[in-house]
Amino acid sequence: MNDLREQLKEAVASAFSQGRVRSFVCLERGFYPFATMPAILHSGSDADRVEIGLADAPLLAKYLLDMPKPAGIVVRSCDALGVSRLIRDRRVKREDLYIISISCPGVVDTAKIPMSMHRITALEKAGDALIVHTALGPTELPWSSVLLDRCLACVSGAASTDADVVLDDGRGKPPAPVDYSEIDEVEHMAPDERYAMWEKEFAKCIRCFACRNACPACSCRKCSLDLPEPEWLSRAVILPEQFMFHFTRAYHVAGRCVGCGECERACPVGLPLMKLNRKFTRDIETLFGVDDARIPRDVEVLGTFLPDDPEEFC
Amino acid sequence: MIRVGVFVCWCGSNIAGTVDVGKVAEEAARIPGVVHVEQNKYTCSDPGQDSIRKAIKEHRLDRVVVAACSPRMHENTFRKCAASAGLNPYLVEMANIREHCSWVHSDMSVSTPKAVDIVRRAVAKVKRCVPLHPSTIPVEKRALVIGGGIAGIQAALDIAEAGYDVTVVEREPTIGGRMAQLDKTFPTLDCSSCILTPKMVDAASHPGIRILTYAEVEEISGYVGNFEVRVRKRARSVDEARCTACGICILKCPTSRDSEFNMGLGTRKAIYMPFPQAVPNKPTIDREICRHFTAGKCGICQKVCPSGAVDFSQEDQVLTEKFGAVVAATGATQFSVEVYGEYGYGRYPDVITGLELERLISSTGPTDGKIRRPSDGKIPKTVVFIKCVGSRDENKGYPYCSKACCMYTAKHAILLKEKIPSASAYVFYMDVRAGGKDYEEFYKRSQEMGTRYVRGRVSRIYPLDGKLIVQGEDTLLGERVEVEADLVVLAAAMVPQPDAPEMARKLGISYNQYGFFSEAHPKLRPVETNTAGVFLAGTCQGPKDIPETVAQASAAAAKVISLFAKSELSTNPNVASVDESLCSGCLWCSNVCPYKAIEEKIITERAGKETVTRTVASVNTGLCQGCGACTVACRDGAMNLLGFTNEQILAEVEALCL
């Protein structure tokens, strides 16, 4: 792990020294000793601040939008798809980016560490275990029991190859098959039951828009839901407007969701937003025969007109 | 302050019979913004329109809602009416309380509140309507006709006669098309080439017509009045200006292949003219088989040519030109009858198609007009005709009726009797469709001449002792039928050209499930397409016989002429419009646009201390047809269809739902 961090620091420093970037977004040590937060560096001398991010690491793609270009970014496989999304949506240009991709064994969700282990002083990965250091001494937890949901759904933690620098220590999360069982569950619910579930979930929403702000597919210059006129979304925090908001959000990312799950991670009330997003992803795969619909493409099936479309609706 | 006038129409009893019009008017008067409400027996009538004009002036109306029929029906009427009273025509909104309400309901207690809702919706929208103004675009008064068959020739002649320049692009070495292959034409039995070749010559010699043969349209861009077309004129390897068409090259050429014109029943040389009356009357070298090109040898034609016209080094020419209108007259082809294994086409040489029989009957054909069967050249005594081969058959062919086959089979039977009086003809048919002037009489004539019509399908054909045994069923008698035939003729269906979808893409028009080009409206706009400035003529649009093809070609020409008669075109102002401040430049709109009307545009703007450039979508209003696909694809809400803006539609939804 440290080796990877050293290599990363070096790569970031040389990106600055070679004049490849004017700014660089990465992770740095957060307010807690074990957590990391995003940092935007403006000089190679800041490279020492770079952290890999063992726990609670946010995704960084969205930061690229406002950074001085050329901009550098360090990405895991999930974040790499987000960057690709922004490129395909023409929100950033590939030639304005300097991408360093790293392999990732998964990121710890500290909320999954039992409350009894409060006052964490340090976290450490040791093989297939997470060692939680507290004032009372270290405790070992199985690695897979403490990962972020997105890491559990991660298909492969190997470093993405579409990058200017690829740093892969071979310890990335091994490839795993896609699992849509949670979507099956929702699909098999009776309509009333399903509606009741979403009603319950959406009622929790406080309309903070964190899901939108975190999403690499939600990158409009100005979100249409913020427009005063036409008022697509009323300001009232009432259930019908919650449905309107969440449906609009889900439909706007349909066919473009990269499956990074950052929306869900960002949500302060824990809405299962990926159930909506992944339903669309799976539908696109089954209805249109797209192989792994999370991967951004130059032309997406929902964003194209084909003259030889069968026009079944006529 | 917005002042809306609502005019509620009775439409005689069409609306008033099912909707309480008085109640609708009463409720409409209560809607905020409505300052005047009126009822009319027939709002579209002169007095009805007068009342609108009067009310606009008297009540200073700045928006008008007509609660009447579908906008398809009378929106234009009322727009013109409002315009004549000085109101922008796009400030008129129809509330369809007829098709959407009175016609589909019988209970007045249900339909009246619904009609009120529909009016409420229209008022909500009209209040957000803004004046729209059509812009004008210039028209390039030159027409392109794609296809030089009878449809293309007729359209070209008509357009040129009106004084406009026409270019005909034909991919074969000669114009003439399918009709040139036919022997006689129904129902009058005049000789096909005798009536076609004069038209071919007329077209070729007309000062307003330029014919590009052996040429294909590669790309079409632009829009009505301003198409830019790239045409590839393939190298003929013969200098058309020098060639005197003496034909000695053809005589001396040592290489030959099956003649396409004769449907493979004869041969032609590597340097060839498809038929003697070809226009232009110049030979073409088929580089696929010419020994000079395949083996680097020979060159006899060049040696014998007295005028030095053979030019092996000739290259394809690519022309890019502007046209104001395009007529697609790309024709159709014949169904591949091999699919019907039971008929044995391809295995038994004496099973032929209708077009092959045409060549056998034709005096310019491989048998000099004597009907001889392909296997042994004998004169057939018994001929079986099978209709609907590939048409009206959902399993092996196409479900549609190929339309011309009933008549051409009757014609074949008559011609057979004329050529070989002792011959007997059997026609296996499903139905006889003889709807057309003098068609039924013609069919009767073939019966009177002794043709035996057997209603039923043929189940099997097999050879026996030099004959073909045709087994079928007479479904009228409920009997099995077996005919010992010398020749079997399959009435193969007319099917779209295999590359029709590709051509449709170039033209930016749609086509049906079979590949026939789609007209804008099956009844009322039969020669227009959904792409303005592109018109259809002949069998590319669907199976047709010659009279119908010619009529449609003249109709398409009339459309072109009326387009060219205007000095400028006014464009539909209901087009997409981009709010650049909102546009993120993802260009999904461009990807979903069926008309290629959206391009990317780079704009420069200040962002903080820096000047930055960014991409936004840009609508070419000449190309935009106002379909609205882009507005749906746009997540930013930056794309709006003028006259149907997001704001207007949301207002309508709110008026209906809240």
Side-chain angles (χ1 to χ4, degrees):
Chain A
M1 198 69 157
N2 280 333
D3 290 348
L4 193 62
R5 183 175 169 228
E6 289 308 317
Q7 287 176 29
L8 182 58
K9 284 203 273 193
E10 216 169 279
V12 172
S14 79
F16 276 107
S17 65
Q18 288 170 17
R20 301 289 297 269
V21 295
R22 284 173 65 200
S23 58
F24 206 103
V25 62
C26 59
L27 296 171
E28 68 177 343
R29 204 181 140 127
F31 298 113
Y32 300 102
F34 48 84
T36 44
M37 63 180 188
I40 293 175
L41 313 181
H42 294 279
S43 120
S45 57
D46 291 333
D48 268 350
R49 285 160 59 191
V50 176
E51 291 280 349
I52 294 287
L54 180 66
D56 295 347
L59 296 187
L60 305 172
K62 253 330 236 312
Y63 290 93
L64 289 173
L65 289 177
D66 300 323
M67 285 165 59
K69 308 287 182 317
I73 184 170
V74 51
V75 294
R76 301 155 197 279
S77 60
C78 43
D79 225 356
L81 290 180
V83 174
S84 172
R85 178 77 270 154
L86 291 172
I87 294 169
R88 305 302 156 116
D89 287 345
R90 297 158 160 267
R91 298 294 284 123
V92 291
K93 293 193 186 103
R94 177 67 184 88
E95 62 265 31
D96 283 344
L97 301 183
Y98 187 77
I99 303 174
I100 302 176
S101 74
I102 57 170
S103 55
C104 171
V107 172
V108 171
D109 183 351
T110 49
K112 289 187 181 173
I113 296 174
M115 292 291 270
S116 58
M117 286 172 216
H118 255 196
R119 302 206 178 178
I120 302 164
T121 53
L123 295 173
E124 192 186 333
K125 183 177 189 301
D128 267 346
L130 175 74
I131 303 174
V132 184
H133 297 276
T134 66
L136 302 173
T139 317
E140 249 188 54
L141 292 171
W143 183 245
S144 60
S145 72
V146 290
L147 289 184
L148 284 171
D149 286 348
R150 75 150 155 267
C151 303
L152 295 174
C154 175
V155 182
S156 167
S160 153
T161 50
D162 175 29
D164 298 283
V165 177
V166 178
L167 302 177
D168 197 323
D169 62 3
R171 294 191 206 148
K173 193 170 176 288
V178 183
D179 177 13
Y180 280 121
S181 53
E182 60 162 5
I183 307 302
D184 288 335
E185 263 169 46
V186 182
E187 278 180 354
H188 290 138
M189 289 164 100
D192 286 347
E193 194 191 348
R194 189 158 58 219
Y195 188 81
M197 177 197 84
W198 286 118
E199 206 171 43
K200 196 171 136 239
E201 294 292 352
F202 291 152
K204 294 186 214 159
C205 175
I206 56 170
R207 211 87 75 67
C208 68
F209 295 122
C211 48
R212 176 192 73 186
N213 295 352
C215 174
C218 263
S219 64
C220 291
R221 283 167 55 79
K222 186 148 182 61
C223 177
S224 54
L225 298 181
D226 286 345
L227 296 179
E229 184 68 32
E231 192 182 30
W232 293 106
L233 187 66
S234 136
R235 270 55 191 157
V237 182
I238 51 173
L239 201 56
E241 296 296 327
Q242 308 289 51
F243 271 91
M244 176 72 185
F245 167 60
H246 283 286
F247 285 167
T248 307
R249 190 207 60 78
Y251 272 93
H252 278 196
V253 301
R256 299 184 313 114
C257 172
V258 296
C260 69
E262 190 70 354
C263 50
E264 231 177 61
R265 204 193 67 83
C267 179
V269 295
L271 298 188
L273 298 170
M274 285 308 286
K275 281 187 180 158
L276 286 175
N277 297 341
R278 296 190 75 221
K279 161 73 175 150
F280 279 119
T281 306
R282 208 252 300 258
D283 279 356
I284 287 164
E285 287 169 1
T286 50
L287 298 175
F288 296 90
V290 173
D291 185 31
D292 197 349
R294 300 172 311 131
I295 297 172
R297 288 160 168 84
D298 285 338
V299 175
E300 304 284 354
V301 285
L302 298 188
T304 185
F305 169 82
L306 296 178
D308 50 0
D309 196 83
E311 294 187 16
E312 284 155 13
F313 312 113
C314 290
Chain B
M1 191 55 198
I2 281 171
R3 300 175 63 83
V4 183
V6 178
F7 298 83
V8 190
C9 184
W10 289 44
C11 197
S13 63
N14 269 304
I15 294 171
T18 328
V19 169
D20 182 347
V21 176
K23 177 86 177 147
V24 174
E26 207 177 287
E27 289 291 324
R30 296 209 183 107
I31 304 172
V34 174
V35 297
H36 176 73
V37 181
E38 223 173 286
Q39 298 176 42
N40 283 102
K41 273 263 159 68
Y42 291 101
T43 316
C44 59
S45 66
D46 273 351
Q49 293 193 45
D50 272 344
S51 76
I52 295 179
R53 278 189 282 263
K54 235 173 83 194
I56 290 175
K57 295 210 168 91
E58 269 176 25
H59 300 276
R60 291 177 291 118
L61 302 179
D62 57 9
R63 300 286 192 285
V64 167
V65 168
V66 184
C69 49
S70 158
R72 274 279 188 186
M73 192 74 199
H74 275 315
E75 186 173 59
N76 232 353
T77 312
F78 295 117
R79 277 182 176 170
K80 278 187 195 155
C81 167
S84 68
L87 192 65
N88 183 287
Y90 295 91
L91 299 176
V92 176
E93 181 67 20
M94 298 293 290
N96 181 358
I97 58 169
R98 194 178 74 168
E99 285 87 339
H100 282 181
C101 190
S102 69
W103 278 2
V104 289
H105 296 294
S106 48
D107 181 353
M108 203 178 259
S109 68
V110 176
S111 55
T112 304
K114 179 174 169 183
V116 173
D117 279 345
I118 292 172
V119 173
R120 209 184 296 283
R121 171 207 69 77
V123 173
K125 182 183 173 192
V126 85
K127 286 201 277 189
R128 285 161 181 83
C129 283
V130 292
L132 299 177
H133 303 279
S135 55
T136 55
I137 44 173
V139 184
E140 181 79 31
K141 296 186 179 182
R142 300 173 69 227
L144 170 70
V145 175
I146 308 176
I150 182 60
I153 292 170
Q154 184 64 46
L157 282 170
D158 289 347
I159 298 167
E161 273 303 298
Y164 302 109
D165 283 348
V166 185
T167 298
V168 179
V169 173
E170 166 61 53
R171 69 172 156 196
E172 298 299 326
T174 172
I175 58 170
R178 287 280 171 214
M179 188 174 168
Q181 291 179 286
L182 308 182
D183 178 53
K184 300 243 170 13
T185 53
F186 61 80
T188 46
L189 291 187
D190 23 16
C191 148
S192 186
S193 17
C194 312
I195 56 175
L196 173 68
T197 44
K199 273 195 186 287
M200 290 163 62
V201 174
D202 280 354
S205 57
H206 199 293
I209 299 180
R210 178 176 63 149
I211 296 174
L212 301 175
T213 50
Y214 214 45
E216 283 189 77
V217 171
E218 286 196 327
E219 197 192 325
I220 301 174
S221 57
Y223 46 91
V224 57
N226 300 275
F227 293 106
E228 198 167 282
V229 182
R230 195 171 78 221
V231 177
R232 177 174 293 269
K233 193 170 173 349
R234 289 160 66 198
R236 283 190 111 89
S237 316
V238 171
D239 184 339
E240 286 178 51
R242 286 189 177 178
C243 171
T244 59
C246 67
I248 190 147
C249 52
I250 301 174
L251 213 60
K252 299 290 182 191
C253 175
T255 319
S256 59
R257 75 161 10 162
D258 286 348
S259 154
E260 298 90 349
F261 184 76
N262 281 330
M263 302 304 291
L265 291 171
T267 57
R268 63 154 171 89
K269 296 293 184 60
I271 184 165
Y272 72 109
M273 279 199 279
F275 55 99
Q277 305 97 317
V279 171
N281 205 249
K282 313 283 175 189
T284 303
I285 293 182
D286 177 351
R287 293 188 175 183
E288 269 181 27
I289 58 163
C290 169
R291 289 181 61 198
H292 178 82
F293 289 98
T294 55
K297 293 178 199 152
C298 195
I300 293 176
C301 48
Q302 197 173 39
K303 280 179 212 132
V304 299
C305 179
S307 47
V310 174
D311 177 6
F312 294 127
S313 64
Q314 211 178 62
E315 281 177 9
D316 289 4
Q317 270 177 284
V318 178
L319 317 166
T320 304
E321 290 182 21
K322 280 194 87 174
F323 296 97
V326 181
V327 177
T330 51
T333 187
Q334 193 180 244
F335 180 75
S336 300
V337 292
E338 291 88 345
V339 176
Y340 288 81
E342 64 269 36
Y343 298 157
Y345 180 87
R347 272 179 293 145
Y348 315 135
D350 295 333
V351 178
I352 62 173
T353 67
L355 262 181
E356 288 167 15
L357 182 68
E358 294 285 348
R359 297 315 304 148
L360 291 181
I361 305 176
S362 170
S363 54
T364 61
T367 54
D368 298 329
K370 294 231 164 27
I371 303 178
R372 294 177 183 282
R373 56 187 215 165
S375 62
D376 50 13
K378 279 190 190 151
I379 308 279
K381 292 198 176 61
T382 306
V383 180
V384 167
F385 296 92
I386 303 175
K387 296 210 287 193
C388 298
V389 181
S391 53
R392 303 182 67 197
D393 182 355
E394 285 174 27
N395 295 326
K396 288 187 176 172
Y398 294 92
Y400 60 80
C401 169
S402 184
K403 207 168 182 183
C405 329
C406 278
M407 295 314 294
Y408 80 61
T409 300
K411 175 189 78 176
H412 287 160
I414 290 171
L415 293 176
L416 175 76
K417 287 280 188 183
E418 280 183 358
K419 295 247 177 187
I420 314 166
S422 65
S424 51
Y426 293 82
V427 177
F428 283 87
Y429 71 102
M430 300 211 301
D431 296 287
V432 175
R433 296 184 169 175
K437 196 176 178 189
D438 296 334
Y439 285 10
E440 178 69 14
E441 296 91 321
F442 186 76
Y443 155 61
K444 276 270 159 12
R445 184 172 150 200
S446 88
Q447 276 188 315
E448 280 155 14
M449 288 174 77
T451 307
R452 302 239 331 247
Y453 276 76
V454 183
R455 191 177 196 279
R457 275 215 176 261
V458 168
S459 56
R460 192 158 92 102
I461 297 173
Y462 62 92
L464 189 72
D465 300 335
K467 298 258 184 196
L468 289 166
I469 310 299
V470 180
Q471 288 183 337
E473 197 188 355
D474 186 329
T475 54
L476 294 180
L477 299 175
E479 281 174 0
R480 275 181 57 117
V481 185
E482 202 170 274
V483 182
E484 275 187 28
D486 300 302
L487 186 67
V488 175
V489 182
L490 308 178
M494 242 182 263
V495 296
Q497 299 279 13
D499 54 356
E502 197 190 321
M503 180 52 77
R505 266 193 286 279
K506 287 178 193 165
L507 290 163
I509 60 175
S510 50
Y511 50 95
N512 69 4
Q513 66 266 49
Y514 315 119
F516 289 118
F517 298 156
S518 301
E519 62 283 353
H521 188 283
K523 280 154 279 192
L524 301 179
R525 297 176 68 199
V527 299
E528 289 113 310
T529 63
N530 279 324
T531 298
V534 177
F535 305 98
L536 304 176
T539 52
C540 61
Q541 183 251 355
K544 273 175 203 65
D545 55 21
I546 294 167
E548 216 184 328
T549 296
V550 172
Q552 200 193 14
S554 289
K559 291 287 170 190
V560 173
I561 294 164
S562 66
L563 177 69
F564 288 177
K566 302 181 184 101
S567 55
E568 294 182 311
L569 291 176
S570 67
T571 58
N572 174 11
N574 293 127
V575 291
S577 152
V578 186
D579 182 339
E580 291 179 357
S581 71
L582 294 179
C583 177
S584 297
C586 72
L587 295 179
W588 267 43
C589 49
S590 171
N591 287 335
V592 300
C593 177
Y595 305 101
K596 301 178 209 157
I598 303 175
E599 293 151 12
E600 72 175 284
K601 180 171 125 188
I602 310 288
I603 57 168
T604 308
E605 60 183 13
R606 297 285 295 171
K609 280 181 251 168
E610 292 181 69
T611 300
V612 295
T613 57
R614 64 182 178 94
T615 302
V616 293
S618 162
V619 178
N620 181 330
T621 52
L623 286 173
C624 177
Q625 303 285 314
C627 74
C630 53
T631 64
V632 183
C634 182
R635 298 177 293 276
D636 307 63
M639 195 60 93
N640 265 302
L641 184 57
L642 299 181
F644 300 89
T645 61
N646 291 331
E647 192 198 342
Q648 289 163 351
I649 288 169
L650 266 180
E652 291 177 77
V653 171
E654 282 183 9
L656 282 177
C657 303
L658 298 183

